[in-house]
Amino acid sequence: MNFESVIVGIASLVIIGIFHPIVIKAEYYFSARVWWFFAMAGLGFIFAALFTHGIFSYILAILGTTCLWCIVELFHQKKRVEKGWFPKNPKRGKHKQ
């Protein structure tokens, strides 16, 4: 039996489940300006996947593509906040006096 595909499937669900609230919190605390962090992490994970083998390579690739997809979701989250579907951080954007 080949359990690698089941493990990869479960890992993808867990990774996506973890990154969903990360995107919400990142937009809340830092705004969509942190998109570059997700881009760098995504490219780093994908690059690392190129030089590893087996199931670890697949999981790194899933992490990388999820980080890249988070960029899209950050900007969608920004729009959801503007529509009032999610709370806006009242402390962000205010200057200290």
Side-chain angles (χ1 to χ4, degrees):
M1 294 188 137
N2 182 359
F3 289 104
E4 280 188 358
S5 58
V6 174
I7 293 169
V8 169
I10 291 169
S12 65
L13 284 175
V14 169
I15 291 167
I16 291 167
I18 290 170
F19 273 86
H20 178 70
I22 289 174
V23 167
I24 293 170
K25 296 292 184 185
E27 197 287 325
Y28 183 81
Y29 289 108
F30 306 109
S31 80
R33 293 178 298 170
V34 296
W35 69 267
W36 62 268
F37 175 78
F38 289 102
M40 298 299 288
L43 293 174
F45 283 127
I46 290 171
F47 185 76
L50 294 173
F51 297 98
T52 57
H53 299 285
I55 194 167
F56 191 60
S57 175
Y58 309 145
I59 292 173
L60 285 173
I62 292 169
L63 272 169
T65 54
T66 301
C67 285
L68 294 178
W69 182 251
C70 285
I71 298 168
V72 174
E73 282 302 312
L74 266 174
F75 289 99
H76 286 182
Q77 181 66 16
K78 180 181 175 184
K79 290 180 183 177
R80 290 189 285 265
V81 169
E82 290 169 356
K83 291 179 182 179
W85 296 354
F86 281 83
K88 185 175 185 176
N89 186 348
K91 295 180 182 178
R92 193 177 71 218
K94 291 187 178 180
H95 299 285
K96 293 181 181 178
Q97 297 180 9

